[in-house]
Amino acid sequence: DTEGANLEVTYRQSKGIQTEYDRFWDAHDTSDGECQFAGKGWNNKTFKPKSDLNPTYAYMMFRHSNIQGDLVEILKHLGIKLNLSKSSSLIYTFSYTKFTRLGEVDMSKLPANNSGAVTETFGNSTVLRTIDKIIVHEGIKFTSTTFGGTTALENITFEGIIGTTINFGSSPLTRASITNIVEHLSSTVTGQTVTFKKTAKEAAFTADEWAELIATKSNWTFSLV
């Protein structure tokens, strides 16, 4: 009958759509991460990976994507995880994105003293408010663009040791975030500078509290902009 025929056509179409979906994502999910979701064509409707993302080269992975909102919750809804611990590069990974929150960003395997590895990792992500955790090692060489233009960034937690000059001059960080950063500055390096946004510091600390905090890392230069 007509109804049965229509159901059969719908079934065959859905099977075809599912097959194409599987074919695309089975190939796309094997990407090393380079430019994998970069560009404005990627949004909350088109971002539907099937399996966990384990990039080995996350260069420009999400740069300029139109995926919006809390990436932790987006991935949770999809039932997948993003693991950056194996990536040899985080250049432009989240630059110019519209994420409000990122989960764990594991930089622990990045090469030491390679200033390119974290160029503009989060740069110009102007709605990013929270990074749950950044895992670092003392040899990571941050650049002025790693956090450049993160004008909404308030909440950040580090794990590991920060051993090179690092700049948060764009970010209205909270007291807890600033304190966490200072606590994770190396106690042994010399000649390195950490920069904070002056208005964020003044909103979070009295003069005496600030003096007490930075005295714990007297081997560092503290800059306010």
Side-chain angles (χ1 to χ4, degrees), residues 113 138-143 161-167 184-196 214 217-223:
N113 300 314
E138 195 166 359
I140 292 174
K141 193 170 183 179
F142 294 97
T143 75
I161 299 174
I162 300 168
T164 63
T165 290
I166 191 166
N167 190 325
H184 287 83
L185 298 176
S186 169
S187 297
T188 58
V189 300
T190 57
Q192 305 302 313
T193 300
V194 56
T195 299
F196 293 109
I214 66 175
K217 296 295 165 67
S218 57
N219 55 313
W220 281 75
T221 296
F222 286 81
S223 174

Side-chain angles (χ1 to χ4, degrees), residues 117-136:
V118 289
T119 296
E120 210 171 307
T121 301
F122 311 99
N124 297 296
S125 292
T126 57
V127 298
L128 179 62
R129 292 189 61 191
T130 299
I131 305 173
D132 288 355
K133 183 190 291 186
I134 300 183
I135 304 174
V136 298

Side-chain angles (χ1 to χ4, degrees), residues 16-68:
I17 292 170
Q18 184 63 41
T19 298
E20 289 304 310
Y21 168 84
D22 289 339
R23 182 179 296 136
F24 174 83
W25 283 108
D26 287 344
H28 201 69
D29 284 356
T30 62
S31 167
D32 62 5
E34 181 176 359
C35 301
Q36 190 173 10
F37 304 105
K40 297 179 180 180
W42 288 105
N43 55 47
N44 296 65
K45 290 184 178 180
T46 58
F47 181 64
K48 302 292 181 183
K50 292 171 57 180
S51 55
D52 291 348
L53 304 173
N54 299 291
T56 55
Y57 187 65
Y59 172 75
M60 288 179 60
M61 187 173 183
F62 290 97
R63 192 172 197 243
H64 281 297
S65 113
N66 269 329
I67 307 167
Q68 300 183 32

Side-chain angles (χ1 to χ4, degrees), residues 76-184:
K76 182 178 179 181
H77 178 74
L78 293 170
I80 64 171
K81 296 178 182 179
L82 170 62
N83 176 14
L84 295 167
S85 67
K86 298 178 181 179
S87 182
S88 62
S89 172
L90 291 176
I91 301 171
Y92 305 125
T93 302
F94 297 106
S95 66
Y96 293 94
T97 55
K98 298 179 180 179
F99 297 121
T100 57
R101 176 189 172 202
L102 302 175
E104 181 176 284
V105 180
D106 190 340
M107 298 181 172
S108 61
K109 299 298 191 298
L110 293 182
N113 300 314
N114 182 342
S115 61
V118 289
T119 296
E120 210 171 307
T121 301
F122 311 99
N124 297 296
S125 292
T126 57
V127 298
L128 179 62
R129 292 189 61 191
T130 299
I131 305 173
D132 288 355
K133 183 190 291 186
I134 300 183
I135 304 174
V136 298
H137 63 74
E138 195 166 359
I140 292 174
K141 193 170 183 179
F142 294 97
T143 75
S144 60
T145 65
T146 304
F147 296 93
T150 52
T151 53
L153 184 61
E154 298 177 348
N155 310 298
I156 191 168
T157 301
F158 278 86
E159 181 180 298
I161 299 174
I162 300 168
T164 63
T165 290
I166 191 166
N167 190 325
F168 299 96
S170 300
S171 306
L173 297 172
T174 64
R175 177 187 176 102
S177 296
I178 293 173
T179 301
N180 172 269
I181 292 164
V182 174
E183 289 175 345
H184 287 83

